[in-house]
Amino acid sequence: MSANNQNDVPGNAEKDPEDWVTGDEQMTGPQASYLKTLAQEAGEEFDPSLTKAEASKKIDELQHETGRGIDH
């Protein structure tokens, strides 16, 4: 086990997508797949041109809209 305190370093999930070094790259395959599902459930059109950061924000938005991925 590492002696480093993991609480001192924020993980990628906690980092604002605007601050991602690779945020302007094309979204990943898993992002695209999940976003397609969420968009379909929300009655929205899937935009395949989103960047990683834009896709992350859209996923968050659609999760709130559809109730998916939200811990209750």
Side-chain angles (χ1 to χ4, degrees):
M1 190 162 210
S2 174
N4 292 338
N5 185 345
Q6 293 296 323
N7 294 328
D8 290 342
V9 181
N12 282 345
E14 296 175 18
K15 195 172 184 180
D16 186 336
E18 291 293 327
D19 296 332
W20 292 355
V21 174
T22 61
D24 60 350
E25 293 179 2
Q26 183 178 2
M27 74 175 108
T28 66
Q31 278 182 309
S33 177
Y34 189 42
L35 194 50
K36 283 179 191 176
T37 299
L38 288 172
Q40 183 177 28
E41 287 184 7
E44 293 192 14
E45 194 165 319
F46 170 71
D47 181 357
S49 68
L50 296 178
T51 65
K52 285 181 183 179
E54 291 168 338
S56 178
K57 289 179 183 180
K58 189 66 174 177
I59 286 169
D60 287 345
E61 175 188 320
L62 292 177
Q63 281 181 324
H64 287 290
E65 193 173 313
T66 63
R68 261 185 174 256
I70 308 295
D71 292 333
H72 294 281

